[in-house]
Amino acid sequence: MTFIMDPLLYPSIIKHGRQLDFHEFAAKVAPVTFGYPVVVPALQDQIYRTFKLLQGDNLAALTESMMGNLMLVLRQDHLGERGAWRRAALYDFCNAVMFEATFLTMYGRPPARRHGDMAALRDDFVRFDNMFPLLIAGVPVRLLGRTKAVRDKLIGYFLPHRMSCWSGTSEFIRTRAELFEQHGALRDVDKAAHHFAILWASVGNTVPASFWAVYHLASHRGALQRVRQEVLAVLGLHADQFNGDVDLVLDRGQLEKLVYLESAINESLRLSSASMNIRVAQEDFSLSLGAERSVGIRKGDFIALYPQSMHMDPDIYDQPQSFRADRYVQDGRLKTDFYKAGQKLKHYLMPFGSGSTMCPGRYFAMNEIKQFVCLLLLYFDLQLEEDQSRATLDQSRAGLGIMLPAADVRFRYKAI
């Protein structure tokens, strides 16, 4: 595997979409990890096309649904008596709220509005997710204790006869379910495994990203208050006009105006993202690395970008280990001008991958993180508890996305 470390060369890799492909690698790894058979090319192409339903006009409907589901979970589970402090572990809190709200948004709800076994489902998901790095590394699932049994249980949750009882399913999941029904070679358990894979893709990185955004803002009270004021301003409210008894609505257009919040989230992503962008050479060719350099690439060679090295480069980011909520704000807009060796970088922040293989759900992911943070800051007073160590990154997931905290963080919160 060849690593390209100079971010100025990233465009040279990304533009070779035909010769350097990610899909071949994913098509081999994903079935083994999530427990479905290798997908035939015709079906794979149809599956890829469904990802368009996470963008464009469909994004507005997903965002609206997520807002309602976040309010549902927060109001029923956490917006209790005002003025009463409650204590919790921050990652567990973020996980419980974001996991269920995302699940309801993507897959729908039973007649009772909430899935009664959501806590057990989430616990099993965490057990599987803890083994995810080993599965991606190619360790056979049979060698990982009860991991296969846990995965089978998770897959079973998405069997067609169960999903048919849910209402409010997103168009994205509904379209995929209809597509799977058209392919007679897929067993019900295979269809369910595909749905389970989307669950992981929906929350596996979004939950830790939400945690880090909340954690960093809670650690920097000035930034937290500035975000809160920005949200109120977008809503056209003063602090004393906000009524916690009313469900908050922040649509897609309003979320796009939250520049300072987006900067704070971007900064959290910069500090916690450790994704590795892998490409597989589809043919022998000469890879140009600027005007004067090139290197011979053989078919089957692996080329990798590791953007974390760029995210932590002091030549690009001043004091890169520090959280600066306004790092991506300039003149009231999102800053996009970052330089290396005097040259402007085309790619300076890459938590969602690159090129044609960028995460198709990245716009929804950013919206739901924004929504979650907005609701927490408007409805709650939250404080990190004293006398505890700062959160650090769990390096075991390096290369796989947003890293989890090595240990959870205690905090307290009360409804305002």
Side-chain angles (χ1 to χ4, degrees):
M1 182 178 290
T2 300
F3 284 85
I4 306 298
M5 301 302 294
D6 185 351
L8 292 170
L9 299 179
Y10 285 3
S12 299
I13 305 301
I14 294 169
K15 73 179 182 181
H16 283 86
R18 183 176 64 84
Q19 291 102 340
L20 295 173
D21 180 64
F22 169 76
H23 299 305
E24 177 183 336
F25 174 76
K28 291 179 179 178
V29 172
V32 175
T33 302
F34 296 106
Y36 56 77
V38 174
V39 181
V40 298
L43 176 58
Q44 191 69 272
D45 290 342
Q46 292 175 300
I47 289 175
Y48 285 143
R49 284 197 289 272
T50 66
F51 287 119
K52 294 180 180 179
L53 298 174
L54 297 172
Q55 303 175 8
D57 294 338
N58 296 284
L59 181 60
L62 279 172
T63 301
E64 180 181 352
S65 177
M66 184 68 184
M67 196 75 194
N69 288 319
L70 280 169
M71 285 301 321
L72 171 69
V73 175
L74 286 172
R75 194 166 291 288
Q76 293 193 6
D77 292 354
H78 302 287
L79 281 170
E81 180 183 352
R82 291 184 183 177
W85 285 103
R86 303 171 69 176
R87 287 175 167 77
L90 183 57
Y91 187 85
D92 284 348
F93 179 94
C94 296
N95 191 17
V97 175
M98 288 293 287
F99 185 95
E100 182 172 3
T102 303
F103 189 100
L104 291 169
T105 300
M106 299 299 287
Y107 299 98
R109 61 185 63 189
R113 294 193 73 195
R114 296 180 69 180
H115 297 265
D117 47 359
M118 187 58 59
L121 177 68
R122 188 175 66 250
D123 289 344
D124 283 334
F125 182 90
V126 170
R127 293 186 184 96
F128 172 84
D129 193 46
N130 288 338
M131 295 296 162
F132 183 78
L134 297 177
L135 289 168
I136 288 291
V139 178
V141 68
R142 67 179 183 277
L143 300 180
L144 298 177
R146 296 191 64 254
T147 301
K148 185 179 185 304
V150 170
R151 187 179 70 182
D152 289 346
K153 185 178 177 182
L154 288 163
I155 290 172
Y157 204 88
F158 298 95
L159 289 169
H161 74 273
R162 296 196 64 171
M163 291 184 64
S164 65
C165 300
W166 303 341
S167 61
T169 304
S170 67
E171 184 176 355
F172 171 61
I173 293 297
R174 189 167 59 249
T175 300
R176 290 171 67 92
E178 293 171 354
L179 174 61
F180 297 150
E181 288 299 323
Q182 297 170 10
H183 287 263
L186 288 178
R187 302 169 300 165
D188 282 353
V189 70
D190 301 330
K191 303 168 189 173
H194 277 279
H195 290 308
F196 166 56
I198 290 298
L199 174 65
W200 187 90
S202 299
V203 299
N205 286 305
T206 308
V207 167
S210 300
F211 163 84
W212 288 114
V214 175
Y215 172 75
H216 285 301
L217 285 172
S219 301
H220 298 78
R221 302 299 296 183
L224 185 151
Q225 291 302 327
R226 186 170 175 181
V227 169
R228 191 171 192 272
Q229 290 302 317
E230 181 184 52
V231 178
L232 288 170
V234 166
L235 291 170
L237 298 172
H238 295 291
D240 56 359
Q241 294 176 310
F242 179 72
N243 185 351
D245 294 327
V246 178
D247 285 359
L248 182 64
V249 176
L250 275 166
D251 61 30
R252 178 183 172 187
Q254 290 172 313
L255 292 172
E256 290 175 351
K257 296 178 182 179
L258 298 173
V259 175
Y260 190 85
L261 173 57
E262 185 162 342
S263 173
I265 294 172
N266 282 343
E267 178 72 340
S268 297
L269 292 172
R270 182 186 68 81
L271 289 167
S272 62
S273 172
S275 300
M276 185 160 59
N277 296 198
I278 297 176
R279 303 287 190 272
V280 182
Q282 302 300 298
E283 59 187 49
D284 295 343
F285 74 103
S286 179
L287 175 62
S288 174
L289 298 176
E292 300 178 357
R293 288 183 295 170
S294 64
V295 60
I297 300 296
R298 299 166 300 181
K299 181 178 180 180
D301 282 353
F302 283 79
I303 307 295
L305 311 179
Y306 191 51
Q308 190 191 37
S309 63
M310 173 184 65
H311 295 162
M312 305 306 292
D313 187 340
D315 291 339
I316 302 171
Y317 293 105
D318 181 46
Q319 298 183 17
Q321 301 289 344
S322 300
F323 174 84
R324 294 185 178 179
D326 61 352
R327 195 185 292 272
Y328 293 93
V329 178
Q330 186 174 36
D331 299 328
R333 298 182 179 182
L334 283 174
K335 180 180 179 181
T336 59
D337 296 342
F338 292 88
Y339 295 84
K340 171 78 173 179
Q343 298 184 55
K344 183 178 178 179
L345 291 169
K346 184 175 182 180
H347 306 281
Y348 56 88
L349 182 66
M350 298 171 59
F352 297 110
S354 58
S356 62
T357 63
M358 287 185 73
C359 171
R362 60 191 180 277
Y363 303 112
F364 177 55
M366 181 60 78
N367 279 357
E368 59 181 338
I369 296 170
K370 283 184 178 180
Q371 290 172 320
F372 178 61
V373 174
C374 288
L375 292 179
L376 286 192
L377 299 194
L378 290 189
Y379 284 94
F380 299 97
D381 182 8
L382 53 96
Q383 302 173 2
L384 298 178
E385 293 194 358
E386 299 179 355
D387 301 323
Q388 60 179 331
S389 301
R390 290 186 56 81
T392 57
L393 300 169
D394 177 2
Q395 299 291 339
S396 68
R397 302 179 75 87
L400 299 177
I402 308 299
M403 290 189 281
L404 276 63
D408 212 335
V409 176
R410 303 186 309 276
F411 83 115
R412 64 176 189 158
Y413 65 100
K414 65 177 179 181
I416 298 176

